Amino acid sequence: MKSYDKLVRDNIPDMIKKSGKQCDIDIIKDDRILEYLYVKLHEEIFELVDNENLDEIADVLEVVFSIGKKYGFTEDEMLIKRNEKRSQSGGFENHILLKNVY
């Protein structure tokens, strides 16, 4: 038996069962979900750094969208805000490292 205490995607328990294994789950209460989402975000960011692939980017985005939803924002609102900020301040394509401001 392998033990976990981590947030997983909604279909993971069914996928485990379909593979012939059993699993125990709990449902996280709303007052603690952000704690688990932030832990999951850290996990997914480290996986992205290690694996550098589109699947890991999608996992990071899924967690970010879930966090935003808990703060009351839709995915569309988050993407609109991203585009507004990008239009106003730019993105990160030019790799600018700010060193000092005088």
Side-chain angles (χ1 to χ4, degrees), residues 21-82:
K21 298 178 182 177
Q22 297 296 318
C23 63
D24 296 321
I25 65 166
D26 281 329
I27 304 300
I28 302 166
K29 302 237 187 284
D30 240 17
D31 62 341
R32 296 203 56 218
I33 190 59
L34 278 171
E35 171 188 338
Y36 279 90
L37 282 166
Y38 282 118
V39 169
K40 189 67 173 181
L41 181 60
H42 284 266
E43 173 190 328
E44 297 300 347
I45 288 170
F46 284 120
E47 288 178 11
L48 174 58
V49 169
D50 287 344
N51 296 305
E52 301 173 356
N53 64 53
L54 189 55
D55 282 336
E56 299 304 339
I57 293 169
D59 288 342
V60 170
L61 288 173
E62 188 65 34
V63 176
V64 168
F65 284 140
S66 293
I67 290 169
K69 186 175 179 181
K70 287 299 168 190
Y71 287 123
F73 303 110
T74 66
E75 288 181 26
D76 285 342
E77 289 172 321
M78 288 181 263
L79 291 172
I80 288 168
K81 180 54 73 177
R82 176 221 176 214

